[in-house]
Amino acid sequence: MTRVNGSITELPPRMRAHLAAASPAATQAWPACFAILDSGGQSLAQQQDLPIFSTMLDAVARTALLRDPGDTWRDGQLYLSNDPYLGGVGLATIAMVAPVFVQGRLLAFAGGALRLSDIGAMRKDIFTFGREIMHEGVRLSGLRVDLERGQLPEMLQHYLAANVRDPRLILPALNRLAATLVETTLDTDPAALERRSREMHDAAASALAKLTLAPTGRAQEGTDAGLELQFEKTDCQIRVTGNAVPMDPDGRNAPLSAIRAGVVSALAEAAGECPSVLNASVVLDIPARSRFNIAYPAAAAGAGWGAFLSYQATAQALDRTPALDPTQFTGAPPPSPPHPTAETLRGASPRCTTAAANPSRSWPKT
């Protein structure tokens, strides 16, 4: 696969175009996110299809660095996760980060994510049904792997093929995403990365100076108890504290990454900035065992709902009318994948494709 070269700000769109050219069916069907992050896991440039993705890759990269410090990474490796307790927004969204070496030094990460139509959930209405995380499907709790011949390890492909309904589209798409990230290169020098980091810091400070926040913002859906957020703004950050709303009896629980995405999206909209500029400026303090800070083993079945509530609450504190509705914010449910073609099959290992074609090795449709 051709390497993806480009400046820091150009790379996220180029990575997206690269994946679309290699796996068009997947990128037409599923929302995606791409980013270049610094060696500490902070976005330097990002492109996302949905606002709910706006802070996810930062969180996933930082979790990866907590598990594996920067000096342990090598070229050709990849970290992938869909765990909502490790920075994700739900099992159907698989995020990946890969190290980018500049002049032999690890100075950046390439990040990408796809929200799939199926990850082996026990029911199609999992986003409103799931009570425990195992209801949502296959859980990949932060795996660091070496690509094998430009693809995910064969053992991982077999595992996914046996647990999703249509791996003939999902596996090639994930393989292409992994290869795109691992083969990303920066045609720049370390000084350019440092300049971009300073630019992001200065842009965040300028954005914060424009914002006037009320101490409290509220959002409510029907007779629901709703979400109340308290805001404390300083020159360099906004501290957000949430109320201790008990677990939702309908199973709608949202991870912190979804709440952060809602807050950051509303702030960026008000400041006229990209959400990634404000990612590092928002500090969350949501009580444990609140449905907006889910406790294991609860499912993240209400990630989109929780993100939109936090977006509304922040917009109220900013004295703004929300510009997005729930569908625009979180996207419609992923469509069923199209029937696989020769093009979509290309890139999957033959053994995985054969296993997927055997009904005994895949979950029945519900």
Side-chain angles (χ1 to χ4, degrees):
M1 183 176 286
T2 305
R3 286 186 173 272
V4 184
N5 297 301
S7 70
I8 299 165
T9 55
E10 290 175 344
L11 266 175
R14 288 195 182 194
M15 288 189 286
R16 173 60 187 267
H18 197 61
L19 180 66
S23 189
T27 49
Q28 290 167 8
W30 304 325
C33 179
F34 292 90
I36 292 295
L37 309 106
D38 67 17
S39 58
Q42 182 176 341
S43 288
L44 300 177
Q46 182 167 303
Q47 179 193 35
Q48 81 259 348
D49 289 350
L50 299 176
I52 197 171
F53 292 163
S54 59
T55 67
M56 178 183 61
L57 289 177
D58 292 58
V60 170
R62 288 172 183 170
T63 302
L65 286 167
L66 285 174
R67 287 191 165 190
D68 300 298
D71 58 2
T72 67
W73 291 79
R74 62 178 181 271
D75 201 13
Q77 288 190 321
L78 182 84
Y79 175 94
L80 71 158
S81 179
N82 64 352
D83 197 323
Y85 303 98
L86 299 176
V89 296
L91 300 192
T93 301
I94 295 185
M96 304 180 185
V97 294
V100 178
F101 290 87
V102 178
Q103 298 179 5
R105 296 165 53 196
L106 171 58
L107 291 182
F109 285 91
L114 284 174
R115 192 176 90 178
L116 308 176
S117 58
D118 171 60
I119 193 66
M122 62 186 294
R123 282 172 50 166
K124 288 290 182 76
D125 58 350
I126 186 61
F127 295 106
T128 56
F129 163 76
R131 298 296 184 87
E132 297 186 357
I133 197 165
M134 57 282 297
H135 294 165
E136 290 192 346
V138 175
R139 185 180 181 188
L140 305 170
S141 295
L143 309 177
R144 189 168 73 158
V145 299
D146 289 278
L147 263 60
E148 299 173 359
R149 299 179 299 278
Q151 297 188 352
L152 296 173
E154 189 172 340
M155 183 172 64
L156 177 57
Q157 293 192 60
H158 288 325
Y159 174 69
L160 290 171
N163 286 283
V164 299
R165 293 176 177 83
D166 195 351
R168 293 169 295 178
L169 181 62
I170 288 174
L171 287 179
L174 293 179
N175 281 328
R176 297 296 189 184
L177 175 61
T180 296
L181 299 180
V182 166
E183 298 198 0
T184 296
T185 57
L186 277 169
D187 49 4
T188 186
D189 56 41
L193 288 164
E194 294 173 5
R195 285 195 300 271
R196 179 61 181 171
S197 182
R198 288 195 298 270
E199 290 170 3
M200 295 287 281
H201 182 273
D202 293 344
S206 176
L208 290 178
K210 298 176 186 176
L211 299 175
T212 301
L213 278 159
T216 302
R218 297 181 181 86
Q220 189 163 348
E221 180 186 49
T223 59
D224 189 273
L227 174 64
E228 179 179 291
L229 298 177
Q230 292 82 45
F231 301 91
E232 181 183 351
K233 185 169 81 76
T234 65
D235 291 341
C236 60
Q237 71 177 25
I238 295 175
R239 180 168 291 276
V240 183
T241 305
N243 56 335
V245 181
M247 287 294 200
D248 190 327
D250 294 328
R252 294 184 301 176
N253 308 296
L256 289 181
S257 55
I259 304 307
R260 177 186 294 276
V263 172
V264 167
S265 295
L267 295 174
E269 190 178 275
E273 279 289 357
C274 296
S276 56
V277 167
L278 289 163
N279 282 353
S281 302
V282 174
V283 177
L284 290 184
D285 183 14
I286 310 295
R289 296 193 176 276
S290 163
R291 61 179 158 178
F292 301 114
N293 184 354
I294 56 178
Y296 180 84
W305 159 80
F308 187 67
L309 280 185
S310 65
Y311 168 76
Q312 288 181 302
T314 307
Q316 187 195 62
L318 291 162
D319 195 25
R320 292 175 59 89
T321 301
L324 302 173
D325 62 35
T327 301
Q328 292 172 305
F329 192 86
T330 61
S336 298
H339 185 74
T341 64
E343 176 63 29
T344 60
L345 287 171
R346 192 174 298 130
S349 72
R351 199 174 300 174
C352 289
T353 302
T354 303
N358 182 349
S360 67
R361 292 291 307 278
S362 59
W363 285 40
K365 292 184 180 295
T366 57

